[in-house]
Amino acid sequence: MAAGLAMLFLLVHPACAGLYTDSCGMVWTDTCVPFERNNETAYNEELAASFSPIAANLTGEIPDFGDLSWSEAFRETCAYMEERYAFTEWRAVDWDSLDARYAPEIADAEKNQDAAAYYRALREFAYAIPDGHVIILSPDDFGAKYADIGGGYGLAVARLDSGEVIVTYVAGGSDAEKAGVRFGDEVVSWNGRPTREAINATSIIWTPVKPSTKEGILLQKQRFLTRAPVGTEATVGIASPGDSVPRTVNLTAADDGYDTLARTSIFLGRRVNDVGAGTSANLKAVISNDTVTSRTLPGGITYIAVYEEAYDAYQPFRAAVRDAIARDAPGIVVDLRFNRGGDDNLASAFAGWFVNRPVFYEYGTSYDPGTGEPAALWESWTQPRPDRYTGSVALLVSPYTISSGEGLPKVFAESGTGAIVSWYGTNGAFGMESIGPILPLGIMTAFPTGASLDENGRIQVDSNASMTGGVAPTVRVPLDKEILARAMAGEDVQLAYAVDWIEAQAENGTAEPSDVPTQKAAPGWIVPLVAVAGLAICRGRR
């Protein structure tokens, strides 16, 4: 998040700008200020200065285990992460068990010099930790992804609110189409197992944006149920409407260019081959080359899509909001469904255009290698803009809304501002991500070394050991056959619900946010940080 990917460079190359700092690092009493002045260099100096309390203990070096054996590098990486990972207790991560589980797989891969098996084991290790910020980065998947999921069965499925798992897509000319499978058919079994059981057993290690919540994980398992190595046979139990008994169809996985995965991105509002993209960075490039786009919807509602919290996103975002104000737009939709994160302060600054009172945003923490403990480095607040927008605002989110992309929904949830509209909540990975050790074959790692804390020093937004977290919708779009049919026909149903909500607010005259929060964004237990105890007396003001 803010402090996540945006601060990776700063974590490696800390610098003190000579600005005001104390034991709390930096205090932003109004996060809009550094973006309103439109001076990125000055802001980067402030970001660097926020690390002043631990700057002397940062070596500026990324551990490089690339020359070690595969097994030695894995064990060293586990030890490094165990020391610095911010959520070991919060997510109940058992590092000894992870080492015992995956070390043999890596040893076998090394013995056979099987790079694909090695990379696959590393991804399995990362996905065993339910945190979207614990990731494996590689210039090559060594053919492992295609070997595992290159084949599709010509159909995709989704679980409805009723609990039924239905067919949502059938590829033309596929075995599934030839077998008479149609949209809306219920899938009652998969390879002899009840469908729910088969979904739960499905691997999701090839998702480009790793889910962090139980809800997000279940969604991805549904998507990957219908993927397998090319040539793999499957026996599927199908119950069509009007059938007295289910029938069995036999399907064979064929190379379809990940078609069924692209067709199941309906939860994001469009067809996108997210798995083919490979990484969140590549995924953004597939969707938009801009950080912010905007347009006017029918009825005068302003639509703003924000794809990441990069410094240059603020000016076009502000321009779009001010245009909405000038036009007296009846509402604004902010689309964060593909938002991959960036700078937390920027997410807080966005929120300043909509809230009607100050909202505490976070205490940012980071591991201090000098003390071996986390330290609180900054404090930030969302302040209402004097010329803020006072109409109705709806946020669109998804499980791909990750890191600082979850910041604006967090503020809305805590302040009772507007609505959060979606089928699903946000990702639930809000920690301060850092580059981890470099492994053999040029593989890199990343994981959170710091957490975002609320005003009471509790972890916020990051999912916990029960995989509960993120920011939930306040307007949850139903999942039934009719809604899915509309989505598969090309309609952005979630956007339609957001527009409907805005229009209803205009009719009821209830645009202004309430002073009473409607929902708190996933808080956590009180974090035992010595640094947090002193925050109340070390708040500087700018």
Side-chain angles (χ1 to χ4, degrees), residues 15-22 25-28 37 41-50 52 542:
C16 183
L19 303 176
Y20 168 80
T21 59
D22 56 17
M26 180 63 66
V27 178
W28 285 279
R37 71 187 176 211
T41 299
Y43 178 55
N44 284 338
E45 290 175 346
E46 292 185 13
L47 288 176
S50 69
S52 62
R542 296 174 54 251

Side-chain angles (χ1 to χ4, degrees), residues 77-95:
T77 297
C78 278
Y80 184 89
M81 292 178 67
E82 181 176 9
E83 174 190 346
R84 296 169 182 249
Y85 181 57
F87 303 108
T88 291
E89 293 182 57
W90 180 236
R91 288 191 167 96
V93 178
D94 186 333
W95 296 100

Side-chain angles (χ1 to χ4, degrees), residues 479-490:
L479 269 173
D480 56 32
K481 288 184 182 180
E482 178 186 355
I483 295 296
L484 284 176
R486 288 166 57 186
M488 294 306 297

Side-chain angles (χ1 to χ4, degrees), residues 342-473:
D343 189 323
D344 272 7
N345 281 337
L346 183 53
S348 174
F350 289 157
W353 283 96
F354 307 122
V355 297
N356 66 349
R357 60 184 174 84
V359 180
F360 179 83
Y361 189 80
E362 73 178 352
Y363 290 128
T365 73
S366 182
Y367 176 81
D368 183 349
T371 65
E373 300 291 338
L377 301 185
W378 65 84
E379 170 189 348
S380 54
W381 287 78
T382 299
Q383 298 285 352
R385 296 296 304 155
D387 52 345
R388 65 191 175 84
Y389 179 76
T390 58
S392 299
V393 185
L395 308 181
L396 295 175
V397 301
S398 82
Y400 280 17
T401 307
I402 188 171
S403 199
S404 64
E406 302 178 77
L408 182 55
K410 178 191 87 73
V411 174
F412 270 45
E414 292 173 348
S415 62
T417 302
I420 302 167
V421 183
S422 182
W423 279 312
Y424 309 99
T426 64
N427 187 281
F430 204 55
M432 314 299 172
E433 189 169 37
S434 301
I435 291 293
I438 300 170
L439 301 174
L441 304 186
I443 296 171
M444 299 188 71
T445 61
F447 67 95
T449 56
S452 173
L453 309 182
D454 68 13
E455 199 164 9
N456 297 309
R458 300 176 300 184
I459 292 173
Q460 56 182 353
V461 181
D462 265 280
S463 61
N464 57 24
S466 66
M467 291 178 287
T468 301
V471 183

Side-chain angles (χ1 to χ4, degrees), residues 223 234 246 279 314 318 322 335 355 383 390 398 417 427 475 490:
R223 299 182 71 212
T279 68
Y314 183 77
R318 181 181 72 164
R322 295 183 72 174
D335 192 344
V355 297
Q383 298 285 352
T390 58
S398 82
T417 302
N427 187 281
V475 175

Side-chain angles (χ1 to χ4, degrees), residues 51 53 77 125 131-132 210 284 355 373 384 389 428 510 541:
F51 279 80
T77 297
F125 160 74
D131 183 340
K210 180 182 167 189
K284 178 190 177 298
V355 297
E373 300 291 338
Y389 179 76
T510 55
R541 298 295 178 197

